[in-house]
Amino acid sequence: MTDIAPPDAPADVAGLPARAAALDLLTAALGGRAGMDEGLSHPALAALSARDRAFARALVMATLRHLGPIDAALQAKVKKAPPDKVVQILRLGVAQAFLLNTPAHAAVATSVDLVARDKGLAMFKGLVNAVLRGLLREPPELADPDLLAPGWLQARWRAAFGVEEAHKVAEMIAEEPATDLSLKDAGAGPGIAAELEATVLPGGTLRTSRRGDLATWPGFAEGGWWVQDASAAIPARLLAVRAGETALDMCAAPGGKTLQLAAAGATVTALDRAPARLKRVTENLVRTGLGAETVAADAANWKDGRGFDAVLLDAPCSATGTFRRHPDVLWAAKPSDIAGLAAVQSKLLDAAARRLKPGGRLVYCVCSLEPEEGEGQVAAFLSRTPGVALDPIVAGEGGAPARSLRADGTLRILPHHTAGGTDGFYVARFRKA
């Protein structure tokens, strides 16, 4: 990395709009829960070519996956923190230079140019140039697992899983995941796997390293598959619905589990409180040719007297287990969020129990690594709900990693439990007497 432009040399501005869009996206992603989703709809990103849009997103994802080490490297070079926008530009500059292999002169010059575009920040051009040049002379270590997640989350994971397991969880943060797919027809698996150069995981999930526009992949237009993490596909399998049974997906969006239940032959009701998110469920049903009733309502207070043979509750949660695809969740989460979400989960579990027919099955899951949203919820639910008992999961059932099975028959799936990584999940199954 010796080809560094002089401070006053003109930047290679061909990719500057992409970097400006990345700045907007990173700012949105770190602005709070769901910030990344909101940022992806930003007009500046939509206006880019497909290639520049992909670059902007890859730059932000690389930055978020290494945010802790990047900040540590910057803090060692900057005595007094500059304005937040300058910090974001420095973060992107470091990610370009050391994670995306952007030529050193382009990483520095475009970062300086981003600062220069804001008249109120022009005074920081020299700082940005000096800091990035300094790091290029002394490359930082950006993969330290002890820095890849906020300290408060690391401490929680050590307390919950032990030091060694928490370290393995953190190591997964920096890894870019492959794409996991669930199939409409399991029998088509070998053919689709061959076309997508995919491997078949336990349970039937396909995993591919293919990149690019999903809509151009074999089988997409025909509705043969949908994107769904390997862990996220396990809860619906554990319900083991049969043709003719009624099934309720209580928090259905974006719809992967609804599709699984419908593909298994159940008569499915997909419930979600957000009509906009429910629209995605409907779109996926149309594309795959599967059928389900969709209802926009608050699952905890839904005014419908029906009972169901099977109920699936993938409850709203801190989503800390999804950091492989959504690294922003680690930095947007706050300790206070967990208690608030746990209260919501408790209400939804009670509502789910009321929807069960005698002998009915309930699967509760969260894509969270936090015990209050998993193990703690189940213990409290059982203590206050007579007539409902755990229906223990057995080793390997539903494609779950054997090492994820707990002594009580619930699952605590950690991201390193599957080779190549998987989302962190907690899953419990119950049966009504």
Side-chain angles (χ1 to χ4, degrees), residues 350-404:
D350 290 344
R354 293 193 296 269
R355 296 290 170 185
L356 284 177
K357 291 180 179 179
R361 293 103 60 206
L362 163 65
V363 166
Y364 169 77
C365 64
V366 284
C367 53
S368 166
L369 296 172
E370 314 315 312
E372 297 93 323
E373 301 182 85
E375 295 88 341
Q377 280 294 346
V378 166
F381 174 65
L382 289 171
S383 69
R384 68 175 182 266
T385 314
V388 175
L390 274 176
D391 183 5
I393 301 160
V394 301
E397 189 178 357
R403 64 198 293 196
S404 304

Side-chain angles (χ1 to χ4, degrees), residues 234-242 245 309-311 356 359-364 378 381-382 385 387-395 397-398 405-411 426-433:
I234 292 169
R237 294 189 195 123
L238 294 175
L239 270 179
V241 294
R242 298 177 292 276
E245 286 192 314
D309 298 305
V311 175
L356 284 177
R361 293 103 60 206
L362 163 65
V363 166
Y364 169 77
V378 166
F381 174 65
L382 289 171
T385 314
V388 175
L390 274 176
D391 183 5
I393 301 160
V394 301
E397 189 178 357
L405 186 65
R406 301 176 74 247
D408 63 356
T410 63
L411 295 174
Y426 178 83
V427 190
R429 184 172 59 193
F430 307 89
R431 189 177 293 272
K432 187 172 183 178

Side-chain angles (χ1 to χ4, degrees), residues 188-203:
I192 294 178
E195 289 184 295
L196 295 175
E197 299 178 336
T199 57
V200 183
L201 302 182

